[in-house]
Amino acid sequence: MAEEVSTAKGKPIYAALMSIQRDLKAPKGQTNKFGGYNYRSCEDILEAVKPLLNDNGLVLKLEDEPVVIDGWHYIKATASVIDIATGDRESTTAYAQEPAQQKGMSQSQLTGTASSYARKYALNGLFCIDDNRDADTNEYARQTSQSAAGARSQRNAYSSKGSANDDLRSKAMHALSKEMQRVGASGEEVSALCGVKFGKTNSRDLSTGELSKLAANLEAWIAEQMGGGK
């Protein structure tokens, strides 16, 4: 393996990173029993990427920093790859809010959970790992909003009440999407919550009121799941 590093260490950092992004396969090796879905942890990504880093002459460094934004406490995680030959570095950051309290968890456990979550999404960004390939994404919310607006302008067949309800639903979906981005929630986690909390398959099946309730409680409910097995 040392000989492989020797032949790869002269590669520019972006060429090496491109090779890793192309070859990396990070399976979802964990199961959330509360939500009934599989997910990949930070440790799953690290286990899969370490041999590729070695082959491409890169070192991975993970760093945490506590930050306060608008009075809220976050863990800022930075994932960096460093070229062992040139010292060139490429980094990605991600944030996870640290809950003030969670039943059954100490403060150090809360901080550790936020750190693991933020590191996972920093690694996702650095290595182009997509955890959001389903309907519960910002792209879906945008397309839903555009489709609804297009249908109204083309057919003009909605009553004023129906149009108002459609606008409210679009706003509720957009609010959920923004909250998902803020807390770093994946579509799988949101779909699982839809099943657990509302008995629905995903957010498309929720009422406007349920969408608003999900957005308002998203962070707390995800923390609840994480405390119960994530």
Side-chain angles (χ1 to χ4, degrees):
M1 190 63 69
E3 183 177 351
E4 293 180 10
V5 172
S6 175
T7 60
K9 67 180 182 179
K11 297 169 64 176
I13 189 169
Y14 288 115
L17 186 56
M18 179 178 67
S19 177
I20 292 174
Q21 290 175 348
R22 179 195 65 206
D23 296 335
L24 178 59
K25 300 292 186 296
K28 298 179 180 182
Q30 313 300 318
T31 300
N32 185 294
K33 296 180 180 178
F34 179 84
Y37 64 89
N38 295 326
Y39 67 96
R40 65 173 60 87
S41 66
C42 176
E43 290 75 15
D44 289 328
I45 299 172
L46 292 176
E47 183 177 358
V49 80
K50 284 179 180 179
L52 298 176
L53 291 165
N54 185 67
D55 292 345
N56 287 275
L58 298 183
V59 172
L60 176 65
K61 186 175 183 180
L62 294 173
E63 301 171 282
D64 289 339
E65 176 187 358
V67 296
V68 178
I69 303 174
D70 294 332
W72 296 96
H73 291 262
Y74 292 82
I75 297 298
K76 174 185 175 183
T78 302
S80 304
V81 286
I82 306 165
D83 190 302
I84 63 174
T86 66
D88 291 338
R89 174 190 294 246
E90 181 68 17
S91 303
T92 301
T93 60
Y95 295 80
Q97 188 173 340
E98 186 177 352
Q101 60 182 357
Q102 178 67 32
K103 184 178 180 180
M105 297 182 71
S106 66
Q107 189 58 49
S108 60
Q109 288 174 317
L110 292 173
T111 300
T113 297
S115 170
S116 179
Y117 212 68
R119 287 185 173 198
K120 170 184 170 180
Y121 283 96
L123 289 168
N124 280 358
L126 185 62
F127 298 119
C128 292
I129 300 171
D130 187 2
D131 268 346
N132 301 288
R133 295 177 181 174
D134 54 36
D136 294 303
T137 63
N138 186 53
E139 179 66 14
Y140 172 77
R142 183 182 67 80
Q143 291 176 353
T144 299
S145 179
Q146 289 177 346
S147 297
R152 287 195 300 272
S153 63
Q154 290 175 9
R155 295 192 296 267
N156 194 26
Y158 293 111
S159 66
S160 59
K161 181 179 179 180
S163 296
N165 288 340
D166 191 66
D167 287 339
L168 288 174
R169 181 171 180 81
S170 294
K171 290 178 180 178
M173 181 64 82
H174 182 65
L176 174 60
S177 176
K178 288 183 65 176
E179 186 65 7
M180 287 174 63
Q181 290 183 329
R182 186 183 73 82
V183 305
S186 71
E188 291 168 337
E189 290 168 321
V190 171
S191 293
L193 284 174
C194 289
V196 172
K197 299 297 184 180
F198 305 107
K200 306 291 180 62
T201 303
N202 54 50
S203 64
R204 289 175 298 180
D205 300 325
L206 300 183
S207 67
T208 300
E210 289 170 336
L211 284 170
S212 298
K213 186 175 181 180
L214 178 59
N217 294 279
L218 183 62
E219 186 170 15
W221 285 349
I222 287 179
E224 178 183 298
Q225 291 190 64
M226 293 169 69
K230 186 166 180 176

